[in-house]
């Protein structure tokens, strides 16, 4: 960051994310100031890189497991965006199938199954349970995302569950997915993460067709850690040509 600060030129367009953060935090009138530039970069990379990359890996794996769905998402992109430009954030509202797919990727993979531990600072009564002060508490996000009283056939991958009768994104359903935790310490990057996931997936699907390696079995088995990651898999990627040339 110190190096970028030295070479930063406010008269030029931002070269990368650190220029944008320097501009927002340090240069803009009323900006947060120097200390926040470093802290923001630490958050974006420390908390946001591995999580967002993991979500993309699951999205890719699920696109390989559901090839007809991949084609439908490409058809939606071709119809809404066309082939003459790339998808942008402004296209989000017009791409409900892609939004629904991403919601289902987050729900179905539930790749942050339990949140970062917190501890009670006082004795608490919650839904009839007594939790003494100083108890370490985790939120079980996986059980929320697989709650059969809330989700029909929770073990089935079905992006359609997030679409209403008009085939628009059902925002209440979408808000029911829990992967960014709850409360005061919930993820501060959730909107940025969703935007990044949308842009990466939209541009990749618009530009490329993805095919699985027939020698591999694509499962939801995972490598365990703070975030659950897919088992390593390979993928064939080829550029898409004109509309109708997908796969
Ligand atoms: C799909 C991607 C992401 C997922 C699933 C995710 C999930 C989470 C979860 C579960 C927490 C723990 C909340 C708790 O303590 O209960 C968290 C915290 C946090 N996340 Fe994210 N996150 C993602 C992307 C990002 C991005 C892109 C940023 C970039 C700014 C970010 C910044 C943070 C920060 C700073 C915290 C700590 C908040 C605090 O302790 O007050 N996250 N995230």
């Amino acid at each position: 960051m110190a190096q970028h600060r030295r070479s930063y030129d406010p008269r030029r367009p931002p070269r990368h994310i650190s220029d944008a953060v320097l501009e927002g935090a340090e240069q803009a009138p009323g900006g947060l100031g120097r200390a926040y530039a470093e802290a923001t970069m630490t958050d974006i990379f420390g908390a946001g890189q591995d999580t967002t990359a993991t979500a993309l890996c699951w999205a890719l794996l699920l696109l390989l497991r559901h090839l007809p769905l991949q084609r439908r998402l490409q058809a939606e992109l071709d119809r809404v965006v066309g082939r003459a430009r790339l998808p942008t954030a402004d296209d989000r509202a017009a791409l409900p199938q892609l939004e629904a797919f991403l919601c289902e990727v987050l729900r179905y993979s539930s790749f942050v199954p339990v949140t970062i531990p917190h501890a009670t600072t006082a004795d608490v009564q919650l839904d009839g349970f007594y939790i003494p002060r100083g108890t370490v508490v985790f939120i079980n996000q996986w059980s929320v995302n697989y709650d059969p009283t809330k989700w029909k056939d929770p073990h089935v991958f079905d992006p359609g569950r997030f679409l209403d009768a008009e085939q628009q994104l059902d925002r209440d359903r979408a808000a029911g997915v829990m992967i960014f935790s709850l409360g005061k310490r919930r993820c501060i990057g959730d909107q940025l993460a969703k935007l990044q996931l949308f842009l990466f997936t939209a541009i990749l699907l618009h530009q490329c067709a993805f095919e699985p390696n027939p020698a591999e079995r694509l499962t939801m088995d995972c490598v365990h850690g703070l975030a659950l990651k897919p088992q390593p898999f390979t993928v064939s990627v080829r550029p898409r040509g004109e509309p109708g040339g997908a796969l």
Side-chain angles (χ1 to χ4, degrees):
M1 204 62 192
Q3 200 184 5
H4 286 172
R5 194 178 272 119
R6 279 198 298 278
S7 58
Y8 170 68
D9 181 349
R11 290 160 307 179
R12 292 180 181 277
R15 295 162 299 177
H16 36 57
I17 182 81
S18 28
D19 273 5
V21 169
L22 284 172
E23 188 178 320
E26 292 186 5
Q27 308 287 327
L32 289 169
R34 200 180 171 101
Y36 281 88
E38 267 83 357
T40 303
M41 290 304 285
T42 306
D43 280 353
I44 287 174
F45 284 99
Q49 195 277 329
D50 189 57
T51 41
T52 310
T54 303
L56 278 171
C57 285
W58 284 116
L60 189 53
L61 182 132
L62 286 158
L63 287 170
L64 296 178
R65 277 169 60 118
H66 300 276
L67 294 177
L69 169 67
Q70 184 183 147
R71 285 189 211 103
R72 284 201 301 279
L73 295 177
Q74 284 163 331
E76 183 187 53
L77 281 158
D78 289 348
R79 197 174 61 249
V80 172
V81 177
R83 304 296 304 156
R85 64 172 180 87
L86 291 176
T88 71
D90 291 338
D91 296 314
R92 252 177 112 173
L95 293 164
Q97 290 191 60
L98 182 55
E99 287 282 5
F101 166 71
L102 292 171
C103 289
E104 183 68 338
V105 168
L106 296 179
R107 185 199 71 82
Y108 189 69
S109 66
S110 283
F111 68 85
V112 188
V114 286
T115 60
I116 295 171
H118 295 283
T120 47
T121 52
D123 294 347
V124 181
Q125 283 283 352
L126 184 69
D127 273 353
F129 291 95
Y130 169 65
I131 309 171
R133 180 173 187 267
T135 306
V136 174
V137 177
F138 295 84
I139 298 177
N140 185 340
Q141 306 200 109
W142 190 93
S143 68
V144 174
N145 293 335
Y146 277 79
D147 180 352
T149 65
K150 193 170 156 181
W151 307 101
K152 185 172 176 288
D153 301 327
H155 290 275
V156 174
F157 181 78
D158 175 17
R161 67 175 81 245
F162 292 102
L163 295 173
D164 64 18
E166 278 78 46
Q167 296 299 295
Q168 295 303 309
L169 185 70
D170 181 333
R171 296 198 176 274
D172 289 340
R173 297 247 90 199
V177 177
M178 195 190 290
I179 190 118
F180 297 104
S181 188
L182 274 183
K184 283 187 186 167
R185 302 303 297 269
R186 88 190 288 278
C187 178
I188 57 163
D190 63 341
Q191 295 305 320
L192 177 64
K194 285 182 182 168
L195 177 61
Q196 285 179 321
L197 277 181
F198 169 81
L199 283 174
F200 275 121
T201 315
I203 293 171
L204 285 173
L205 278 170
H206 186 260
Q207 292 294 300
C208 304
F210 301 94
E211 286 172 68
N213 179 344
E216 288 175 0
R217 204 171 66 87
L218 289 168
T219 73
M220 293 302 289
D221 293 348
C222 42
V223 180
H224 289 259
L226 179 63
L228 306 177
K229 293 168 197 285
Q231 298 281 352
F233 62 95
T234 53
V235 53
S236 285
V237 186
R238 65 176 177 75
R240 294 182 66 223
E242 293 306 305
L247 289 173

